[in-house]
Amino acid sequence: AAQEIINQVLVKLEENQVPMPDYALKSSGAAIYRSRTSPSFRTPKAKVFLFSLPLVDYVMSPEVILEPENQPGNCWPFPGSQGHVFIVLSEPVIPKAVTMDHVLGTTFHEDRTATAPKDFAVYGLKKEDEEQGTFLGQFTFLAALNPSQTFQLKNELSGSVKYIRLQVLSNWGHPDYTCLYRFRVHGDPLKDGGKASS
C-alpha cells in the first residue's frame, strides 16, 4: 500500500512537469476577468466565521485555477455542469496547447471524478471586448484516466491573443456543481520587436 502511494506521488510529480511555459499562471501576471466569468458556486455548508458566529458563505475564487497548488478541495466550483472563465494571459501569445488538471486520486474517489469537467471548448481573443473569440478546439477531459492532460489546439490563429475563454460544456455527472482545479495555456510568445495583433 505504501509503495502504491509513492508511485502515485511520483506519477503526479512527473505530470506536473509539463515542459511548456504556462501563460495562464497567476504569479507571472495572468488574471481572471471576473465580469466575464461564471459566478462561483455558493454552499451554505461552508461559512466564514467571526467570533464563532457565521458571517457569510465561503466562496472559492476562480483565481485558484491559475495557481499550481493542487490539493483536494482547492478548486473553483461553479453551479451546474456548464460554465465559463475568461483568462487574461500574462503576455500575448500564439496559443498552441492547453493543460487541464484535476486532483490526484480521482480514480479512487468517484465523487471527485463526478465534479470534474468533461467536455470543454477553448477560444482565443485579441481584445477583451470581443464577444466570442476564435474557436481553438473542443476536447474531452478523461478525469478518471489521468488527472493532468494536455490538448493540442486545432485552429491556427493569424496572430497572438491576450485572452482565453474556457467554456465547460459538461461534467462527469455531479448534479450541483463542477470543480475546476487548474487550467494552463501554452504557446509561443511574440518575437522581440513583434507587435500584438489587433
Side-chain angles (χ1 to χ4, degrees):
Q3 186 60 48
E4 185 178 336
I5 292 171
I6 291 169
N7 289 341
Q8 289 174 11
V9 171
L10 290 175
V11 166
K12 187 60 179 174
L13 286 173
E14 185 179 326
E15 290 162 355
N16 279 337
Q17 305 306 315
V18 174
M20 296 176 281
D22 176 14
Y23 294 96
L25 188 63
K26 184 178 178 183
S27 61
S28 295
I32 299 293
Y33 199 125
R34 292 288 191 100
S35 65
R36 296 194 63 181
T37 295
S38 293
S40 300
F41 177 72
R42 293 178 176 271
T43 173
K45 294 178 182 176
K47 296 279 188 188
V48 174
F49 288 85
L50 179 66
F51 304 115
S52 301
L53 297 172
L55 197 59
V56 292
D57 292 347
Y58 177 75
V59 179
M60 187 69 84
S61 165
E63 271 85 5
V64 73
I65 73 167
L66 307 181
E67 298 171 354
E69 290 76 23
N70 196 8
Q71 302 300 317
N74 193 40
C75 65
W76 173 57
F78 58 84
S81 61
Q82 296 184 344
H84 57 273
V85 61
F86 194 93
I87 301 168
V88 184
L89 301 177
S90 57
E91 64 179 278
V93 297
I94 299 167
K96 299 292 184 185
V98 295
T99 299
M100 185 171 282
D101 297 281
H102 201 61
V103 69
L104 180 65
T106 51
T107 310
F108 307 105
H109 300 283
E110 200 171 300
D111 58 330
R112 285 195 198 140
T113 303
T115 66
K118 183 180 180 184
D119 298 308
F120 68 96
V122 180
Y123 299 84
L125 301 92
K126 298 175 189 301
K127 299 178 180 177
E128 65 182 56
D129 58 357
E130 278 184 64
E131 192 60 38
Q132 183 70 16
T134 301
F135 176 73
L136 300 177
Q138 183 172 324
F139 312 96
T140 299
F141 179 64
L142 303 173
L145 183 66
N146 186 341
S148 182
Q149 296 165 43
T150 298
F151 304 88
Q152 298 302 314
L153 297 174
K154 297 173 182 176
N155 291 12
E156 292 296 324
L157 285 165
S158 58
S160 63
V161 299
K162 178 65 177 168
Y163 309 92
I164 291 287
R165 187 166 66 90
L166 167 63
Q167 184 81 40
V168 177
L169 306 170
S170 63
N171 68 16
W172 283 97
H174 200 287
D176 299 327
Y177 64 92
T178 302
C179 217
L180 190 55
Y181 274 83
R182 188 176 179 195
F183 188 73
R184 309 182 227 183
V185 177
H186 315 293
D188 296 330
L190 294 176
K191 304 293 184 204
D192 291 341
K195 292 192 292 185
S197 299
S198 56

